[in-house]
mmCIF file of all heavy atoms in Angstrom:
data_model
loop_
_atom_site.group_PDB
_atom_site.id
_atom_site.type_symbol
_atom_site.label_atom_id
_atom_site.label_comp_id
_atom_site.label_asym_id
_atom_site.label_seq_id
_atom_site.Cartn_x
_atom_site.Cartn_y
_atom_site.Cartn_z
ATOM 1 N N ASP A 1 0.828 -1.143 -0.003
ATOM 2 C CA ASP A 1 0.017 0.002 -0.012
ATOM 3 C C ASP A 1 0.908 1.244 -0.018
ATOM 4 O O ASP A 1 0.600 2.285 -0.663
ATOM 5 C CB ASP A 1 -0.929 0.002 1.223
ATOM 6 C CG ASP A 1 -2.052 -1.063 1.268
ATOM 7 O OD1 ASP A 1 -2.283 -1.588 0.065
ATOM 8 O OD2 ASP A 1 -2.549 -1.387 2.287
ATOM 9 N N ALA A 2 1.974 1.262 0.778
ATOM 10 C CA ALA A 2 2.825 2.411 0.926
ATOM 11 C C ALA A 2 3.440 2.709 -0.380
ATOM 12 O O ALA A 2 3.564 3.836 -0.804
ATOM 13 C CB ALA A 2 3.800 2.105 2.033
ATOM 14 N N VAL A 3 3.962 1.703 -1.110
ATOM 15 C CA VAL A 3 4.564 1.890 -2.393
ATOM 16 C C VAL A 3 3.525 2.415 -3.390
ATOM 17 O O VAL A 3 3.871 3.285 -4.205
ATOM 18 C CB VAL A 3 5.284 0.574 -2.918
ATOM 19 C CG1 VAL A 3 5.710 0.741 -4.358
ATOM 20 C CG2 VAL A 3 6.395 0.146 -1.998
ATOM 21 N N CYS A 4 2.431 1.781 -3.383
ATOM 22 C CA CYS A 4 1.351 2.298 -4.324
ATOM 23 C C CYS A 4 1.003 3.759 -4.079
ATOM 24 O O CYS A 4 0.873 4.515 -5.005
ATOM 25 C CB CYS A 4 0.126 1.384 -4.134
ATOM 26 S SG CYS A 4 -1.275 1.744 -5.294
ATOM 27 N N LEU A 5 0.860 4.105 -2.830
ATOM 28 C CA LEU A 5 0.517 5.576 -2.521
ATOM 29 C C LEU A 5 1.721 6.468 -2.832
ATOM 30 O O LEU A 5 1.473 7.592 -3.391
ATOM 31 C CB LEU A 5 0.140 5.716 -1.040
ATOM 32 C CG LEU A 5 -1.223 5.109 -0.603
ATOM 33 C CD1 LEU A 5 -1.309 5.008 0.824
ATOM 34 C CD2 LEU A 5 -2.313 6.021 -1.219
ATOM 35 N N ALA A 6 2.922 6.026 -2.621
ATOM 36 C CA ALA A 6 4.017 6.885 -2.880
ATOM 37 C C ALA A 6 4.165 7.141 -4.322
ATOM 38 O O ALA A 6 4.556 8.233 -4.776
ATOM 39 C CB ALA A 6 5.350 6.189 -2.421
ATOM 40 N N ASN A 7 3.844 6.109 -5.205
ATOM 41 C CA ASN A 7 3.908 6.310 -6.592
ATOM 42 C C ASN A 7 2.712 6.852 -7.250
ATOM 43 O O ASN A 7 2.672 7.111 -8.463
ATOM 44 C CB ASN A 7 4.213 4.945 -7.291
ATOM 45 C CG ASN A 7 5.625 4.506 -6.942
ATOM 46 O OD1 ASN A 7 6.501 5.230 -6.544
ATOM 47 N ND2 ASN A 7 5.855 3.136 -7.048
ATOM 48 N N ALA A 8 1.687 7.153 -6.592
ATOM 49 C CA ALA A 8 0.386 7.648 -7.090
ATOM 50 C C ALA A 8 0.465 9.182 -7.220
ATOM 51 O O ALA A 8 -0.312 9.913 -6.683
ATOM 52 C CB ALA A 8 -0.768 7.228 -6.122
ATOM 53 N N THR A 9 1.402 9.615 -7.976
ATOM 54 C CA THR A 9 1.653 11.067 -8.202
ATOM 55 C C THR A 9 2.323 11.209 -9.571
ATOM 56 O O THR A 9 3.138 10.352 -10.027
ATOM 57 C CB THR A 9 2.524 11.630 -7.137
ATOM 58 O OG1 THR A 9 2.895 13.009 -7.459
ATOM 59 C CG2 THR A 9 3.877 10.865 -6.949
ATOM 60 N N PRO A 10 2.007 12.317 -10.152
ATOM 61 C CA PRO A 10 2.853 12.520 -11.532
ATOM 62 C C PRO A 10 4.231 12.987 -11.274
ATOM 63 O O PRO A 10 5.022 13.042 -12.238
ATOM 64 C CB PRO A 10 1.973 13.619 -12.162
ATOM 65 C CG PRO A 10 1.301 14.440 -11.028
ATOM 66 C CD PRO A 10 1.075 13.370 -9.956
ATOM 67 N N PHE A 11 4.521 13.242 -9.981
ATOM 68 C CA PHE A 11 5.995 13.700 -9.710
ATOM 69 C C PHE A 11 6.891 12.586 -9.303
ATOM 70 O O PHE A 11 6.370 11.497 -8.912
ATOM 71 C CB PHE A 11 5.906 14.738 -8.570
ATOM 72 C CG PHE A 11 5.135 15.959 -8.888
ATOM 73 C CD1 PHE A 11 3.837 16.135 -8.417
ATOM 74 C CD2 PHE A 11 5.595 16.976 -9.715
ATOM 75 C CE1 PHE A 11 3.077 17.298 -8.654
ATOM 76 C CE2 PHE A 11 4.862 18.112 -10.012
ATOM 77 C CZ PHE A 11 3.670 18.176 -9.520
ATOM 78 N N GLY A 12 8.165 12.801 -9.464
ATOM 79 C CA GLY A 12 9.029 11.718 -8.975
ATOM 80 C C GLY A 12 10.467 12.265 -8.571
ATOM 81 O O GLY A 12 11.442 11.888 -9.180
ATOM 82 N N LEU A 13 10.444 13.273 -7.690
ATOM 83 C CA LEU A 13 11.737 13.960 -7.349
ATOM 84 C C LEU A 13 12.450 13.236 -6.180
ATOM 85 O O LEU A 13 13.534 12.656 -6.422
ATOM 86 C CB LEU A 13 11.397 15.405 -6.958
ATOM 87 C CG LEU A 13 12.750 16.241 -6.823
ATOM 88 C CD1 LEU A 13 13.490 16.221 -8.054
ATOM 89 C CD2 LEU A 13 12.253 17.680 -6.495
ATOM 90 N N GLY A 14 11.812 13.025 -5.064
ATOM 91 C CA GLY A 14 12.477 12.398 -3.954
ATOM 92 C C GLY A 14 11.447 11.657 -3.081
ATOM 93 O O GLY A 14 10.236 11.769 -3.258
ATOM 94 N N ALA A 15 11.942 10.807 -2.128
ATOM 95 C CA ALA A 15 11.160 10.144 -1.200
ATOM 96 C C ALA A 15 11.932 9.807 -0.056
ATOM 97 O O ALA A 15 13.187 9.675 -0.056
ATOM 98 C CB ALA A 15 10.547 8.848 -1.753
ATOM 99 N N SER A 16 11.292 9.821 1.183
ATOM 100 C CA SER A 16 12.084 9.399 2.376
ATOM 101 C C SER A 16 11.362 8.234 3.089
ATOM 102 O O SER A 16 10.095 8.294 3.110
ATOM 103 C CB SER A 16 12.371 10.545 3.349
ATOM 104 O OG SER A 16 11.105 11.066 3.845
ATOM 105 N N LEU A 17 12.108 7.279 3.587
ATOM 106 C CA LEU A 17 11.532 6.066 4.263
ATOM 107 C C LEU A 17 12.045 6.129 5.683
ATOM 108 O O LEU A 17 13.232 6.246 5.932
ATOM 109 C CB LEU A 17 11.903 4.789 3.572
ATOM 110 C CG LEU A 17 11.355 4.581 2.283
ATOM 111 C CD1 LEU A 17 12.098 3.276 1.569
ATOM 112 C CD2 LEU A 17 9.898 4.281 2.275
ATOM 113 N N TRP A 18 11.170 5.743 6.673
ATOM 114 C CA TRP A 18 11.561 5.804 8.097
ATOM 115 C C TRP A 18 11.286 4.394 8.662
ATOM 116 O O TRP A 18 10.077 3.973 8.709
ATOM 117 C CB TRP A 18 10.884 6.878 8.805
ATOM 118 C CG TRP A 18 11.189 8.226 8.238
ATOM 119 C CD1 TRP A 18 10.829 8.788 7.098
ATOM 120 C CD2 TRP A 18 12.252 9.145 8.741
ATOM 121 N NE1 TRP A 18 11.368 10.032 6.775
ATOM 122 C CE2 TRP A 18 12.271 10.232 7.891
ATOM 123 C CE3 TRP A 18 12.983 9.208 9.905
ATOM 124 C CZ2 TRP A 18 13.143 11.323 8.059
ATOM 125 C CZ3 TRP A 18 13.886 10.205 10.122
ATOM 126 C CH2 TRP A 18 13.958 11.367 9.152
ATOM 127 N N THR A 19 12.248 3.667 9.118
ATOM 128 C CA THR A 19 12.151 2.335 9.621
ATOM 129 C C THR A 19 13.317 1.927 10.342
ATOM 130 O O THR A 19 14.361 2.487 10.147
ATOM 131 C CB THR A 19 11.792 1.301 8.482
ATOM 132 O OG1 THR A 19 11.815 -0.010 8.930
ATOM 133 C CG2 THR A 19 12.988 1.437 7.374
ATOM 134 N N ARG A 20 13.186 0.913 11.229
ATOM 135 C CA ARG A 20 14.405 0.296 11.877
ATOM 136 C C ARG A 20 15.045 -0.759 10.999
ATOM 137 O O ARG A 20 16.194 -1.096 11.266
ATOM 138 C CB ARG A 20 14.026 -0.210 13.233
ATOM 139 C CG ARG A 20 13.719 0.855 14.315
ATOM 140 C CD ARG A 20 13.418 0.146 15.627
ATOM 141 N NE ARG A 20 13.273 1.090 16.673
ATOM 142 C CZ ARG A 20 12.094 1.721 17.165
ATOM 143 N NH1 ARG A 20 11.029 1.380 16.455
ATOM 144 N NH2 ARG A 20 12.122 2.469 18.118
ATOM 145 N N ASP A 21 14.357 -1.195 10.022
ATOM 146 C CA ASP A 21 14.713 -2.396 9.287
ATOM 147 C C ASP A 21 15.420 -1.838 7.918
ATOM 148 O O ASP A 21 14.734 -1.545 6.977
ATOM 149 C CB ASP A 21 13.547 -3.337 8.955
ATOM 150 C CG ASP A 21 14.017 -4.640 8.241
ATOM 151 O OD1 ASP A 21 15.105 -4.653 7.620
ATOM 152 O OD2 ASP A 21 13.215 -5.558 8.343
ATOM 153 N N LEU A 22 16.695 -1.855 7.895
ATOM 154 C CA LEU A 22 17.374 -1.199 6.804
ATOM 155 C C LEU A 22 17.350 -2.049 5.553
ATOM 156 O O LEU A 22 17.272 -1.518 4.406
ATOM 157 C CB LEU A 22 18.865 -0.852 7.129
ATOM 158 C CG LEU A 22 19.070 0.052 8.325
ATOM 159 C CD1 LEU A 22 20.500 0.428 8.490
ATOM 160 C CD2 LEU A 22 18.180 1.321 8.131
ATOM 161 N N ASP A 23 17.324 -3.385 5.626
ATOM 162 C CA ASP A 23 17.188 -4.275 4.532
ATOM 163 C C ASP A 23 15.791 -4.046 3.871
ATOM 164 O O ASP A 23 15.653 -4.039 2.621
ATOM 165 C CB ASP A 23 17.420 -5.728 4.903
ATOM 166 C CG ASP A 23 18.815 -6.033 5.359
ATOM 167 O OD1 ASP A 23 19.770 -5.260 4.876
ATOM 168 O OD2 ASP A 23 19.052 -7.004 6.057
ATOM 169 N N ARG A 24 14.799 -4.023 4.702
ATOM 170 C CA ARG A 24 13.483 -3.749 4.257
ATOM 171 C C ARG A 24 13.479 -2.403 3.493
ATOM 172 O O ARG A 24 12.790 -2.364 2.299
ATOM 173 C CB ARG A 24 12.487 -3.684 5.417
ATOM 174 C CG ARG A 24 11.022 -3.503 5.148
ATOM 175 C CD ARG A 24 10.308 -3.426 6.435
ATOM 176 N NE ARG A 24 8.856 -3.220 6.379
ATOM 177 C CZ ARG A 24 8.098 -2.971 7.402
ATOM 178 N NH1 ARG A 24 8.612 -2.659 8.619
ATOM 179 N NH2 ARG A 24 6.781 -2.837 7.144
ATOM 180 N N ALA A 25 14.079 -1.449 4.003
ATOM 181 C CA ALA A 25 13.989 -0.168 3.408
ATOM 182 C C ALA A 25 14.668 -0.073 2.089
ATOM 183 O O ALA A 25 14.226 0.505 1.083
ATOM 184 C CB ALA A 25 14.663 0.960 4.369
ATOM 185 N N GLU A 26 15.815 -0.818 1.972
ATOM 186 C CA GLU A 26 16.592 -0.832 0.652
ATOM 187 C C GLU A 26 15.791 -1.503 -0.369
ATOM 188 O O GLU A 26 15.742 -1.136 -1.545
ATOM 189 C CB GLU A 26 17.859 -1.563 0.868
ATOM 190 C CG GLU A 26 18.787 -1.411 -0.249
ATOM 191 C CD GLU A 26 20.243 -1.980 0.036
ATOM 192 O OE1 GLU A 26 20.529 -2.174 1.295
ATOM 193 O OE2 GLU A 26 21.016 -2.280 -0.945
#
């Protein structure tokens, strides 16, 4: 869901992810 919402925009400049699991974030 998070990825779908993040990409649900005509823009694509930057994004930030906040998590303790760095492998998951990558």
Side-chain angles (χ1 to χ4, degrees):
D1 291 340
V3 171
C4 183
L5 288 166
N7 291 339
T9 173
F11 299 103
L13 192 54
S16 61
L17 291 171
W18 299 77
T19 175
R20 289 183 170 93
D21 188 337
L22 301 187
D23 290 336
R24 180 187 184 191
E26 190 170 343

